[in-house]
Amino acid sequence: MKDQCLVGLLILSVSIAVGCAREPDSRQAAAGDDTADFIESAEWQATLEPVTFEAWQEELVALHGQVVVVDMWATWCLPCIERFPHMVELAQKYADQDVEFVSLCLDDRDDEDSIALAKRFLTEQRARFPNFLMDEVVTQAFEKLDLLGIPAVFIYGPDGSLRYRLTGDDPNNQFTDADVDDAIEELLAAS
Amino acid sequence: MNLRGLILAALLLTMAILPCPALQAGEYNAVIDIGAPMPQFSDLPATDGTTLSSSDLEEEVVILVFLANHCPWVKGMDPDLVELGESIQSDKVRIVGVSVNHREDDRLPAMKEHAAQAGYNFTYIYDESQELGRALGATRTPEYYIFDKDRRLVYMGLLHNSPASKRRDGTINYTEGQPTEFYVVDNVKALLAGEEVTVAETRAHGCSVEYEQD
């Protein structure tokens, strides 16, 4: 029950974030001026840096030497939105350790409303870690990342090798928040 | 060779002979591969107030399409799905939409609303137990599965080669421009002509289906 309440609260807060308090068909509502105003008036603003797939590979190389946790998400992906706060919590928890958190947004790069909402969401979440936007046609981005769906969390070891590929690809073994926690702990214990 | 060596050799041989489950699955599917039989299902409730069982399906070709009302990729592809229903209207082909998620907006009451709004011209059932979705390894919406007259899987994946999403401003955006390859339509035509399908598997794109985990 407690979990249900928490999830409910999250959905509610996200709903408000995407402006559905006023719109019955929330997720189809235009981002509108509210989002722009919100982002401008926020004390801290998240940035969303576009990267091509090749540039993304270089970003990963630049992060070698620590555990790297990559959260792949999009504003059109409700489970991603619901899971994101856990990633922010983990980033705070491991702030003093050799773990870098990074988000990679897979929204449609040409859809201004979605990009504005993504920035607003990251700002509201206080996602104070590098936030990237995949600068590719979205279906091609999935292909290049060898992704079937999101949410997905890729966790790299300090040597840069992909150690955990947490996805929902298998209906009988979709990853949970606990899997992310366990993977990080295991990699930290080993390094 | 000592006993330990023999056991090791036997183990290795067994591993080589027994197909690994991961290898049995499709290129983009963790559970099943082309050629698999259609999973049985019974009395799944439909938006029109009826129920549907796999034994009710008598058509030559059956298309199961996994959908989710909430998903912009489903909404973006709805017009094309409805057009598919119109273009292959025949007593030889049956389309069945399946919703699997437990979100309120993907459950039966919301499905009824969505089906009416989108003009769905096919049976739309709710797989609350998630058994059908699991058996097919269906993890994205929309995703199409085509079964032939022997109820063997002959195709799984996209409707066509340019998935579309509905943007917040209501416009529909095709990711790769106008579609040029119509996998489902072409495969259905081939089956009805007694021919083999031309493409057996494509990478479905859309929202993830969420399964209850133990």
Side-chain angles (χ1 to χ4, degrees), chain B residues 77-98:
Chain B
M77 297 289 282
D78 272 342
D80 292 356
L81 169 55
V82 170
E83 196 184 312
L84 174 79
E86 281 165 15
S87 70
I88 59 172
Q89 208 168 35
S90 138
D91 53 7
K92 291 182 179 168
V93 185
R94 179 78 180 264
I95 301 175
V96 178
V98 188

Side-chain angles (χ1 to χ4, degrees), chain A residues 65-76:
Chain A
Q66 56 200 329
V67 171
V68 179
V69 183
V70 180
D71 184 274
M72 304 193 190
W73 74 291
T75 60
W76 50 262

Side-chain angles (χ1 to χ4, degrees), chain A residues 4-191:
Chain A
Q4 280 177 357
C5 289
L6 273 175
V7 170
L9 271 176
L10 281 175
I11 294 172
L12 182 68
S13 58
V14 168
S15 303
I16 292 168
V18 299
C20 68
R22 291 178 299 121
E23 294 286 344
D25 190 7
S26 59
R27 286 171 295 273
Q28 294 304 320
D33 295 338
D34 279 3
T35 296
D37 291 348
F38 173 85
I39 293 173
E40 268 176 35
S41 64
E43 166 197 344
W44 171 82
Q45 294 169 26
T47 52
L48 196 52
E49 190 186 333
V51 280
T52 59
F53 179 72
E54 288 68 29
W56 168 245
Q57 301 297 106
E58 286 165 20
E59 293 290 346
L60 284 175
V61 170
L63 290 167
H64 281 186
Q66 56 200 329
V67 171
V68 179
V69 183
V70 180
D71 184 274
M72 304 193 190
W73 74 291
T75 60
W76 50 262
C77 166
L78 293 187
C80 301
I81 297 288
E82 288 162 11
R83 277 166 184 250
F84 202 90
H86 184 64
M87 208 49 68
V88 178
E89 278 169 26
L90 288 178
Q92 285 163 356
K93 180 180 169 186
Y94 290 106
D96 299 332
Q97 299 187 56
D98 278 343
V99 187
E100 179 70 90
F101 288 80
V102 178
S103 81
L104 182 62
C105 180
L106 288 154
D107 266 297
D108 175 357
R109 61 180 175 177
D110 299 322
D111 182 0
E112 287 175 13
D113 288 343
S114 288
I115 304 308
L117 278 179
K119 281 183 191 161
R120 175 174 182 157
F121 177 71
L122 294 169
T123 300
E124 285 185 326
Q125 290 292 314
R126 293 181 169 72
R128 294 172 193 263
F129 40 72
N131 298 298
F132 295 100
L133 169 70
M134 191 45 84
D135 188 10
E136 302 274 351
V137 170
V138 65
T139 38
Q140 289 171 16
F142 273 72
E143 214 168 313
K144 289 179 180 179
L145 291 162
D146 194 21
L147 267 184
L148 295 185
I150 50 174
V153 175
F154 286 8
I155 306 180
Y156 298 82
D159 63 351
S161 63
L162 178 58
R163 300 292 299 278
Y164 291 90
R165 199 177 173 283
L166 305 175
T167 69
D169 296 351
D170 181 350
N172 301 311
N173 191 23
Q174 294 187 321
F175 83 99
T176 62
D177 285 348
D179 293 331
V180 181
D181 302 353
D182 293 349
I184 295 171
E185 283 299 326
E186 203 170 308
L187 282 178
L188 280 178
S191 62

